[in-house]
Amino acid sequence: MYYRQAGTYRTDYAQDMRLLPLKEDRILLGVVLLAAFAVIPFTASDYWLSAILIPWLCLSLVALGQNILMGYAGQLSLGAAGFMAAGAFACWNFMHRVDWMPFPVAVFLSGLIAAAIGIVFGLPSLRVRGLYLAVATLASQFFIVWVIDKFGWFKDYDSSGIITAKDIVIFGKSFTSPAEMYLVVLTITVVLTWAAMNMARGSVGRNWQAVRDMDVAAEVMGLSLLRTKLQAFAISSFYCGVGGALFAFTYLKSVEPAAFDINLSFRVLFMVLIGGLGTIIGSFYGAGFILLLPVFLNIFFHALFGKAVDATITSALEQVIFGVMIILFMIYEPLGLAKLWQNFQERMRRWPFKF
Amino acid sequence: MNPEILFFFEVLLGGLLAGVMYSLVALGFVLIYKASSVFNFAQGAMVFFAVLSFVGFMELGLPFFLALLVTVGLMVLVGMATERFVLRPLVNQHEDTLLMATIGLAFVLEGLAQLVWGVEVRRLDLGIPDVPIMWIADATGIFVSALDLVAGLVAAVMVAVLAIVFSRTKVGLGLRAVADGHGAAMSIGIPLSQVWVFVWATAGIVALVAGMLWGARAGVQFALVGLALKALPVLIIGGFTSVPGVIVAGLIVGASEKLAEVYIGPYFGGGIEGWAPYMLAVLFLMFRPEGLFGERIIRRV
Amino acid sequence: MNAVTESHVPGVERAFPIGGPILQLDAISLRFGGVHALTNISFDIREHEVRAIIGPNGAGKSSMLNVIGGLYTPQEGTIRFRGETLSNMTPGKAARMGIARTFQNIALFKRMTVLENIMAGRRLFTHASFLEVALQLPRARREELESREKAEEIIEFLEIQQIRKTQVSRLPYGLQKRVELGRALAAEPQILLLDEPMAGMNVEEKQDMCRFILDVNDHYGTTMVLIEHDMGVVMDISDRVVVLDYGKKIGDGPPDEVRNNKDVIDAYLGVAH
C-alpha cells in the first residue's frame, strides 16, 4: 500500500482491537466518508447517483445480509430476493397506511418484518445444511413472492398489481432529488455497515463462525446452535429487508413482486461469492462488480462494434462471465475480491522485498 | 363413472406424468451425487443446454439421429470439460465449495447455450403426438397422450439400466467407492478422472433425454431451467442417494402440485405449483431430513 | 484414600490438593443399537486430580468421555456432579457445569485465528446481546476486553504468542492441539476432558503437552480427565487410572497398582484363551 505499518506500536489490547488499528486507515476512512457525504452529492450526475451509486449501496446492504448468513454463519441461502420483497412491500404498507411515519422508521420496521420471516424459514437450518438448506430457502423465495403477488391487501388492491414508491419524507423535509435520496441511503448504509462490522469481529461473529466451522465444538462450549443460527437468519434477513425497502423506494420506484425473482437471489449470491465470503467489505466489492459488469460490457461493445449489442446477448455473456468467475474464485481464491485486495496490500507492505 | 372422480384421476395422472419428468432430471443429479458426492446444481442447466443444442443442430439441417448423435457427443465433451476445469482442481474440497462451483457451471452452460443458439422459444417435434389417445379415452374416460406414455416408459427403462449399472457392474462398484472418498478411491487405483467423465457424460445424456421429452411438451425455452429446479425438492423428498427414491418422490411432487393447483389454487388466484414442491420439501427437512429412501445422516465426534 | 498433597514435582506441595469426588459415575451402560459400547461402568473423579482412562482400541474410552461431556446419553446409570444427580445431560449443560473438552480429531474453528478461537471459548462469560455488540455499548466493550485479556493470559501460558493472529488451519498439528487446549481453558473449566491430547505427536511435542497439562493442573487446579495411548505418559502424569476393555472396567487405581493388575496386562499383551 501507499503507507507502511512500521513504527506503529500498540501498548494495550484496546488499541489493538479498534476497528481500524492503523492511524492511516482511519484518516483514509475519514476522507472517503467526507467525500461520500459532502462531495459526491454535489458533483455526481443524476445518472451516476440514481443508476449506479444508489442501487450499489442498496445491493451492498443485501449482499451484507447474505454474507452474514452464508459467509459468517455458513448457512447456504438462495432466498435473499424473497426477504428483499418482504422488506419492500412491508415498507410500502407502513408508509401507505401510517401517514406520519418517517421513512427511516418504516425502513427499520420493514427490516424487523423480514427478520421475523427469516426466523421462520431458518428453522430447517437446525437439522440440515448445504444444498438441503438452500432448497428450504428456495421455498421462502417462491412462497413470499407468491403471497405478495396473490393477496391484494399487500398492494392495497391496486388493479395493476404494481406499487409506486411514496415520497421520502423525514420530519417534514422531503428527499426526492437523486442527491437527497442518495444521502438517505448512504446514511443508513454507513450505520448498518458499522453495526455489521462490530458484530462480525465481536463475540457475535465468533459464535457464527464457530457454528460454521465446527458445530459440535461450538455446542460443547455452551453455544446454543438453535439460537445462533436463528439469530444469523434474523439479522441477515433484516439487512436484506432494509436493502430491499431502500432498493424499491430509491431505485425501482415502481415495484412489482416479480422484480424480486429467483434471478435476483442468484445475483446477490454471486455478489457474495465474487466479493468474498465472510468479509464485510467484500459485499461492497461484489455488489459493485455485479452492477458494473453490464455497464462495462455495453461500453466495450460500443467501442468494438460502434453500436449497442442486443440486450439478450450481453445478458447471456454476463451469465457466462459470472459463472466462469465463480468457478475460478472457488478454485483459486474462495475468499473473493476482498482477499485479492488484501493479498495485494500485504505484498505492497513488503515491497520491494519478496519476503 | 362420476365426472368429478374422473376429473380427479385425470389431474392425478397428469401430475404423475409431470412427476416423471422431474424424476428424470433428479436422476442425473443422483447419478453424479452417488459417484462423486458432488451436489450438481447444474443438472437443470444441462437439461436446457442439451435440448437447446439438439434443436439447434436440427435447425442447422442435421437429420434427427445425426443431431442426436452430435448432441450426445457434445454432452460427453461437456462432461470432460467439467472434469478437467472444475472437478479436478477441486478434488477433496469442501462439498459447499463444489456446490458453488456447479452453480457457476450452471450459469456458464445457460449463458453459452443462449449465446450460441439465441433465446427464442423453439418447438420440438419428436413425432410422438401429444394429444389424447382416443381408445384409452373412450374406454376409461381418461385423457392420456402418447407422449406421456413414452415419457413414462423411457423413465422406467433408464432407471432400470442405471440401477443395474450401479449394483451389478465393476464400473458401478468403482462409482460407489469414489463416492465414499476421493482420496481413498484414488489410492486403490480407481482412475478418478475417467470415472467422473463417465458419470458426468451419462448425466448429460440423461439430461438430454429429459430435455427432449420436456421440450416436446412445453417448448424449448429458458423456463426449462426453472422447471428443472423442481428436481431439488424431489431429491430431498426422495433422498439424495436413492434411485427408486427420486422416482417415487418425483411422482409425489408431480401429483401433489397438480392436485393442489387444481383444487386449492382457485381460492388464491393460482400459482401454487410454483412453491408447493418446495414447501413439501421443507416439511420433509423438518421431520425426515434423510428423505423417503435416503441413508440416515449420522453425526460422529 | 488419603488426600494427595504432593505435586508432580517430587517434594513440592500441591497448590490444589486432591479433594473429594467431583464427578461420580455409577453403573453407566451405553448401547448403539445392538452394540454395547459401555457396560455397567462405575468410577469417580476427584477434584483437582489427573484421571486417565486407558484401554485398547475400541474399549469405549471416547464413548465414556462423550457420556461425561453430555454428547451421548447412556441408557442406564447415573452421573453425579458434586453429589447432585444429573439427568438429561446435554453438551450445553455440561459446559455450564464447568466441563470443557478437546477432541480426538482436532475440532478447532479452522478459518478463525488462534486468538479468535480462544476468545470464542469465552462463550459462557459473554452476556452482551447482539444489539449491545452491534452498537458497541459499554457491556459489550468491557466483555470483549476481558475476553481478550484472558485469552492473552492463556496464549502466554501456552507460549503461542507469535501465532496469535495466524489462521489455525495453517498451523502444524502439534500447535493446533495446543490451541485447542487453550480454547478449552478459556472456558475456565472445573473439569477438563482431553481426548488423546498427545495422539500423533513426536516425543518433544508430547513432552511439551505433558508439561502444559501438569501446569494447568498445578496452576488452575483444573480436574483433568484424559484418554491416552502412550502408557509411559499416562503412568507419569496421572494420579489415578481407569482401564477399559470391550466396554467393561477391568482396572482402577494409581498407576503403579494398575500396571501390575493381571487383567490389564492380559488386555494389553493379549492372552491365549
Side-chain angles (χ1 to χ4, degrees):
Chain A
M1 204 118 153
Y2 34 79
Y3 46 78
R4 301 287 174 102
Q5 287 193 344
T8 312
Y9 301 103
R10 290 157 214 164
T11 49
D12 64 28
Y13 297 135
Q15 280 178 22
D16 192 40
M17 288 159 66
R18 299 177 75 147
L19 198 54
L20 296 168
L22 282 184
K23 194 171 151 208
E24 291 82 352
D25 280 339
R26 289 197 293 275
I27 294 171
L28 179 69
L29 179 73
V31 171
V32 168
L33 283 180
L34 193 72
F37 275 102
V39 180
I40 287 178
F42 303 105
T43 53
S45 69
D46 281 1
Y47 170 80
W48 262 86
L49 285 168
S50 48
I52 308 276
L53 289 172
I54 288 178
W56 174 56
L57 291 174
C58 297
L59 289 175
S60 295
L61 272 185
V62 177
L64 198 53
Q66 174 86 4
N67 214 340
I68 284 173
L69 189 58
M70 206 173 137
Y72 285 94
Q75 310 294 312
L76 179 54
S77 159
L78 297 178
F83 298 113
M84 287 174 74
F89 280 83
C91 189
W92 186 82
N93 276 291
F94 281 123
M95 303 274 287
H96 181 66
R97 288 164 205 276
V98 189
D99 274 344
W100 50 266
M101 192 178 281
F103 182 70
V105 176
V107 168
F108 180 76
L109 291 177
S110 314
L112 290 187
I113 300 247
I117 300 173
I119 290 177
V120 173
F121 282 99
L123 284 172
S125 70
L126 308 177
R127 301 205 56 171
V128 294
R129 52 187 309 285
L131 184 65
Y132 294 79
L133 184 60
V135 175
T137 58
L138 277 180
S140 73
Q141 162 75 48
F142 291 122
F143 187 69
I144 293 171
V145 172
W146 179 81
V147 167
I148 295 172
D149 194 32
K150 295 295 174 190
F151 291 82
W153 186 85
F154 291 107
K155 291 152 287 181
D156 202 14
Y157 304 101
D158 187 292
S159 55
S160 64
I162 297 173
I163 56 167
T164 308
K166 313 267 168 205
D167 283 349
I168 296 172
V169 181
I170 305 170
F171 298 122
K173 160 122 183 64
S174 69
F175 291 76
T176 41
S177 77
E180 287 164 346
M181 286 201 280
Y182 161 81
L183 279 174
V184 172
V185 176
L186 180 68
T187 310
I188 295 177
T189 306
V190 167
V191 171
L192 286 183
T193 305
W194 173 74
M197 282 178 153
N198 288 335
M199 286 190 281
R201 66 200 192 92
S203 58
V204 177
R206 284 194 296 272
N207 292 348
W208 290 338
Q209 296 182 67
V211 169
R212 173 194 71 194
D213 283 355
M214 191 58 74
D215 53 358
V216 182
E219 217 179 343
V220 164
M221 290 178 346
L223 196 61
S224 157
L225 299 184
L226 173 94
R227 286 188 49 166
T228 311
K229 285 182 182 176
L230 291 186
Q231 184 193 54
F233 263 95
I235 294 174
S236 156
S237 309
F238 177 86
Y239 277 79
C240 290
V242 168
L246 293 176
F247 193 63
F249 272 71
T250 61
Y251 175 64
L252 296 175
K253 307 233 175 69
S254 72
V255 194
E256 52 178 339
F260 300 99
D261 65 353
I262 177 86
N263 283 322
L264 184 57
S265 283
F266 273 113
R267 284 163 70 93
V268 174
L269 175 75
F270 291 173
M271 290 171 194
V272 174
L273 289 181
I274 289 176
L277 277 171
T279 59
I280 299 288
I281 193 72
S283 316
F284 288 82
Y285 298 157
F289 182 85
I290 300 279
L291 209 63
L292 287 178
L293 182 67
V295 178
F296 282 129
L297 277 184
N298 271 330
I299 295 171
F300 176 72
F301 281 127
H302 250 291
L304 203 61
F305 303 114
K307 64 181 169 71
V309 176
D310 190 31
T312 54
I313 292 186
T314 45
S315 86
L317 191 62
E318 254 172 60
Q319 281 191 320
V320 176
I321 294 176
F322 289 156
V324 169
M325 286 196 68
I326 283 165
I327 294 172
L328 290 178
F329 271 120
M330 286 301 119
I331 294 172
Y332 297 107
E333 191 47 88
L335 298 180
L337 291 171
K339 179 73 178 163
L340 287 182
W341 174 238
Q342 196 189 331
N343 290 349
F344 171 75
Q345 278 182 317
E346 254 153 47
R347 184 165 297 178
M348 290 317 282
R349 191 172 294 158
R350 291 188 291 266
W351 187 86
F353 303 106
K354 246 191 151 157
F355 297 103
Chain B
M1 229 194 289
N2 185 331
E4 275 189 23
I5 297 179
L6 259 184
F7 179 66
F8 172 81
F9 277 110
E10 216 170 281
V11 172
L12 182 67
L13 196 66
L16 290 175
L17 291 164
V20 171
M21 307 278 200
Y22 297 147
S23 302
L24 270 179
V25 180
L27 196 61
F29 196 105
V30 170
L31 199 63
I32 288 176
Y33 183 69
K34 277 184 90 132
S36 55
S37 52
V38 173
F39 291 122
N40 177 25
F41 199 87
Q43 188 68 29
M46 280 162 71
V47 169
F48 175 63
F49 180 88
V51 67
L52 190 60
S53 303
F54 171 71
V55 176
F57 287 131
M58 296 246 291
E59 277 176 5
L60 288 180
L62 295 189
F64 185 90
F65 283 102
L66 195 56
L68 192 61
L69 209 64
V70 173
T71 316
V72 167
L74 183 65
M75 293 318 286
V76 174
L77 273 180
V78 168
M80 289 165 76
T82 305
E83 190 279 325
R84 178 66 191 82
F85 298 112
V86 183
L87 299 178
R88 204 186 295 175
L90 287 171
V91 174
N92 268 332
Q93 291 293 322
H94 193 271
E95 63 179 35
D96 282 1
T97 308
L98 279 157
L99 172 60
M100 296 303 142
T102 65
I103 292 181
L105 179 66
F107 273 73
V108 172
L109 290 177
E110 286 163 19
L112 271 183
Q114 295 180 81
L115 268 185
V116 175
W117 304 113
V119 292
E120 315 82 68
V121 179
R122 324 289 174 90
R123 287 195 53 240
L124 171 60
D125 189 1
L126 296 177
I128 308 164
D130 193 10
V131 290
I133 301 173
M134 280 333 282
W135 60 267
I136 297 182
D138 290 340
T140 60
I142 294 176
F143 295 90
V144 195
S145 78
L147 186 66
D148 291 332
L149 291 181
V150 170
L153 203 67
V154 167
V157 169
M158 287 198 115
V159 170
V161 170
L162 290 175
I164 291 170
V165 168
F166 256 99
S167 56
R168 298 286 151 81
T169 66
K170 211 175 147 188
V171 179
L173 191 65
L175 298 184
R176 281 181 288 161
V178 172
D180 259 11
H182 301 168
M186 273 164 97
S187 71
I188 57 166
I190 292 173
L192 202 56
S193 330
Q194 286 172 32
V195 168
W196 274 348
V197 169
F198 175 80
V199 173
W200 279 73
T202 312
I205 294 164
V206 172
L208 174 61
V209 173
M212 285 168 70
L213 293 172
W214 228 334
R217 157 75 42 87
V220 178
Q221 53 177 320
F222 189 67
L224 282 183
V225 174
L227 279 175
L229 211 55
K230 283 193 188 158
L232 292 175
V234 169
L235 286 159
I236 285 184
I237 295 166
F240 277 82
T241 49
S242 164
V243 173
V246 294
I247 301 300
V248 174
L251 298 178
I252 290 176
V253 164
S256 61
E257 69 167 16
K258 286 286 179 305
L259 288 173
E261 186 64 46
V262 169
Y263 288 101
I264 308 173
Y267 299 104
F268 300 102
I272 287 186
E273 57 186 334
W275 53 264
Y278 298 95
M279 280 299 187
L280 193 62
V282 170
L283 288 180
F284 263 87
L285 289 178
M286 297 298 286
F287 299 107
R288 198 180 160 80
E290 70 271 25
L292 285 173
F293 299 91
E295 290 153 18
R296 247 205 136 78
I297 310 153
I298 298 171
R299 192 172 78 163
R300 284 194 73 103
V301 183
Chain C
M1 218 196 303
N2 303 321
V4 178
T5 52
E6 191 182 316
S7 82
H8 297 284
V9 183
V12 178
E13 282 272 296
R14 259 178 117 116
F16 297 90
I18 292 176
I22 182 169
L23 205 64
Q24 290 159 286
L25 297 124
D26 191 25
I28 299 286
S29 292
L30 176 73
R31 291 182 296 273
F32 296 110
V35 182
H36 294 257
L38 299 170
T39 312
N40 194 23
I41 292 185
S42 309
F43 64 94
D44 64 1
I45 295 158
R46 287 156 171 258
E47 195 154 18
H48 309 311
E49 78 173 334
V50 178
R51 188 74 148 123
I53 303 175
I54 64 168
N57 281 327
K61 305 182 298 289
S62 280
S63 298
M64 194 67 243
L65 217 58
N66 286 337
V67 166
I68 299 174
L71 279 165
Y72 294 162
T73 311
Q75 279 82 6
E76 283 153 45
T78 53
I79 306 174
R80 274 177 295 167
F81 179 72
R82 296 192 188 280
E84 203 176 316
T85 305
L86 304 170
S87 54
N88 299 327
M89 274 288 278
T90 61
K93 254 190 196 172
R96 281 187 291 279
M97 276 163 39
I99 297 179
R101 69 171 293 172
T102 65
F103 294 81
Q104 187 175 353
N105 311 311
I106 301 167
L108 283 170
F109 307 127
K110 282 201 295 265
R111 283 167 52 189
M112 294 160 76
T113 64
V114 170
L115 183 63
E116 284 167 341
N117 264 277
I118 294 174
M119 284 173 80
R122 299 286 297 164
R123 164 72 203 126
L124 292 170
F125 301 89
T126 44
H127 306 286
S129 71
F130 76 91
L131 269 180
E132 292 174 86
V133 175
L135 303 177
Q136 289 288 286
L137 298 186
R139 178 158 78 154
R141 296 169 68 134
R142 196 184 61 234
E143 281 178 357
E144 188 75 2
L145 204 58
E146 277 167 12
S147 286
R148 175 70 189 260
E149 275 161 9
K150 181 69 190 174
E152 290 290 348
E153 182 192 322
I154 290 164
I155 284 172
E156 204 167 316
F157 187 85
L158 295 176
E159 297 161 16
I160 46 180
Q161 292 94 329
Q162 61 279 51
I163 53 165
R164 61 158 77 78
K165 288 191 178 168
T166 311
Q167 195 181 324
V168 291
S169 61
R170 288 155 76 167
L171 295 175
Y173 180 84
L175 274 180
Q176 289 197 18
K177 283 255 175 198
R178 210 188 284 182
V179 175
E180 208 189 8
L181 176 65
R183 185 182 65 188
L185 286 177
E188 299 180 25
Q190 299 188 37
I191 304 177
L192 185 50
L193 311 178
L194 303 169
D195 197 349
E196 304 207 13
M198 281 159 257
M201 287 187 173
N202 63 32
V203 177
E204 206 174 316
E205 288 171 327
K206 276 185 188 179
Q207 282 170 353
D208 279 345
M209 188 50 101
C210 281
R211 182 164 57 84
F212 289 126
I213 291 173
L214 295 179
D215 280 354
V216 169
N217 181 251
D218 278 346
H219 195 258
Y220 298 106
T222 316
T223 308
M224 302 281 198
V225 183
L226 67 102
I227 293 175
E228 189 43 60
H229 270 298
D230 187 324
M231 289 303 271
V233 167
V234 171
M235 297 304 163
D236 275 355
I237 67 172
S238 38
D239 297 304
R240 289 190 303 156
V241 182
V242 177
V243 191
L244 301 184
D245 191 22
Y246 291 112
K248 297 197 175 81
K249 186 170 99 169
I250 58 170
D252 188 358
D256 288 333
E257 195 181 307
V258 166
R259 206 199 308 258
N260 299 319
N261 180 325
K262 186 176 172 303
D263 290 338
V264 176
I265 296 169
D266 287 352
Y268 267 88
L269 300 177
V271 70
H273 288 287

